[in-house]
Amino acid sequence: MNSKKNDSQASIRNLQEEDLEKIVHKFTFPWSTSEATFVLWKNYFQEHQRHLRTVCIIEKQNEIVGYGNLLRSPEYPHFKNNNIPEINAIWIDEQSRRQNLGTMLIKHFEEMATDDGYQTIGIGVGLYQDYGPAQRLYQKLAYRFDGNGITYKCQPVIPGESYCVDDDLIIWLTKSLVPK
Ligand SMILES: CC(C)(COP(=O)(O)OP(=O)(O)OC[C@H]1O[C@@H](n2cnc3c(N)ncnc32)[C@H](O)[C@@H]1OP(=O)(O)O)[C@@H](O)C(=O)NCCC(=O)NCCS
């Protein structure tokens, strides 16, 4: 099994079908239902098997404490058209934050994308306060704005129009994987 450990004894590995039940139990958030969470993760697993995405989970002492995805066919047109894989839906348990696990997961995806021959990797981040930690994290890891402004549901926003400030209002960042 493809698995890596760091100093805190956290390890990262690819999602397996046996994980789904545990994940639905643990990661059904108050804004969703266990049925919807199961459908979401079943779809993740099927896309993982088809190599459209790679889903990784991060474990500590045999407990799943976070996860993330690498999308090889992202919805955001700038990434899709420029062969830029997207790091997506990173989540670290609240009790396990600020222990470098988010950093570890992102670096894992960067290595994976490099091994797959990609020259650039991308990530999107929301604009409201809940995304503050992610904004700081991506800046720290040297991600830069892609220069195309913000999007709503992956389409460029139009100046003067109104949009809801929600999870679909996103700014996009990229990082070169080519050593200087
Ligand atoms: C964003 C998230 C993945 C970060 O995970 P994490 O494991 O806590 O991050 P790390 O420990 O690797 O943090 C690395 C750096 O990011 C920045 N950072 C992380 N959390 C921060 C916070 N709450 N406030 C300010 N900076 C923060 C810091 O620079 C930190 O370095 P430091 O601890 O040496 O100061 C986590 O907060 C999370 O799951 N949030 C909810 C989901 C989410 O927003 N996902 C991203 C969607 S785009």
Side-chain angles (χ1 to χ4, degrees), residues 41-160:
W41 279 88
K42 186 89 190 161
N43 184 46
Y44 279 1
F45 183 68
Q46 284 165 352
E47 291 193 358
H48 176 91
Q49 285 182 307
R50 290 164 58 210
H51 205 59
L52 291 172
R53 70 169 73 220
T54 300
V55 190
C56 287
I57 60 170
I58 185 156
E59 284 179 315
K60 246 177 127 175
Q61 286 145 3
N62 279 330
E63 201 194 335
I64 300 175
V65 293
Y67 56 80
N69 294 251
L70 185 71
L71 309 183
R72 292 190 178 68
S73 185
E75 192 184 344
Y76 174 46
H78 177 70
F79 287 179
K80 194 182 178 96
N81 298 336
N82 291 283
N83 200 29
I84 299 173
E86 177 193 333
I87 299 172
N88 179 273
I90 294 256
W91 180 272
I92 303 293
D93 263 359
E94 283 181 28
Q95 313 87 284
S96 299
R97 290 183 189 167
R98 293 311 271 273
Q99 296 171 26
N100 223 36
L101 301 183
T103 300
M104 186 181 161
L105 201 48
I106 289 174
K107 291 196 165 162
H108 180 78
F109 285 130
E110 289 174 359
E111 281 171 28
M112 187 183 287
T114 303
D115 290 347
D116 288 353
Y118 292 105
Q119 302 206 332
T120 306
I121 192 164
I123 198 161
V125 67
L127 301 181
Y128 64 95
Q129 194 176 21
D130 288 5
Y131 288 98
Q135 292 167 1
R136 298 293 291 262
L137 170 62
Y138 307 156
Q139 187 184 28
K140 185 174 183 191
L141 295 179
Y143 283 77
R144 302 280 174 259
F145 294 132
D146 77 352
N148 292 308
I150 57 177
T151 59
Y152 191 74
K153 293 191 188 293
C154 287
Q155 297 306 314
V157 297
I158 300 165

